[in-house]
Structure formats: structure tokens, C-alpha cells
Amino acid sequence: DKKEVTEYFNGEGFNRWSRIYNTTDDVNAVQMDIRTGHARTVEKILGWLDYMGVKGKKICDAGCGTGSLSIPLASRGALVSGSDISS
């Protein structure tokens, strides 16, 4: 049910993911692994895109979450459209 999924991601799901992507130490070992892996992935993607140049390019960040990729891309001059299931 779409309504049930949306309510989950706007409530409990949002709280869980924001704790992972925040800078607080209030995470368990698995959440810290996810945080660390995500940061490495973002760094790698930004490196690839920096090599190609993003200024003025249109980029769609599907599942953008808290904007950990969208925000740095926009600061580099990319025209970013972000979409996420949560509000």
C-alpha cells in the first residue's frame, strides 16, 4: 500500500536513516558501517563526476535522501533534481 510506505518513510524510516547519515555517535556498528560505506561511495562518485565536469549539467539524484550527493553536486554548479520517497 503506497500510503503505508509513504507514512513509514516520513516517520520511522526517516528517523532511522537520518540517524545513520547524521554526524552523531548514536549509531550501532551496522549503522556506522552503512554510514562509512555511503561516505566512500559519495566520494567516489564525486571524484568521477569532478573528472568529467558537472558545471551546468543536469543531474537527477533518484533516492536523494538527505542530499549527501545532491548538495555537493549543486555546489559544483550542476543543475540537480532530487527525488525521494520521504517528504
Side-chain angles (χ1 to χ4, degrees):
D1 175 338
K2 184 177 179 178
K3 182 180 179 204
E4 184 176 342
V5 171
T6 300
E7 287 174 358
Y8 171 80
F9 279 101
N10 285 336
E12 181 64 25
F14 177 82
N15 292 334
R16 289 182 182 192
W17 285 108
S18 65
R19 190 167 48 245
I20 290 171
Y21 294 124
N22 203 328
T23 56
T24 178
D25 290 333
D26 183 27
V27 292
N28 62 39
V30 172
Q31 292 168 327
M32 184 58 79
D33 284 346
I34 293 168
R35 180 188 290 176
T36 302
H38 182 292
R40 288 180 185 155
T41 301
V42 168
E43 288 174 21
K44 183 175 275 192
I45 291 168
L46 289 173
W48 291 337
L49 294 174
D50 283 343
Y51 176 77
M52 296 175 7
V54 297
K55 188 172 184 175
K57 297 208 171 128
K58 294 179 182 179
I59 296 177
C60 175
D61 186 2
C64 63
T66 59
S68 56
L69 187 57
S70 297
I71 294 169
L73 288 171
S75 72
R76 287 163 165 81
L79 307 171
V80 181
S81 295
S83 174
D84 198 87
I85 195 169
S86 63
S87 296

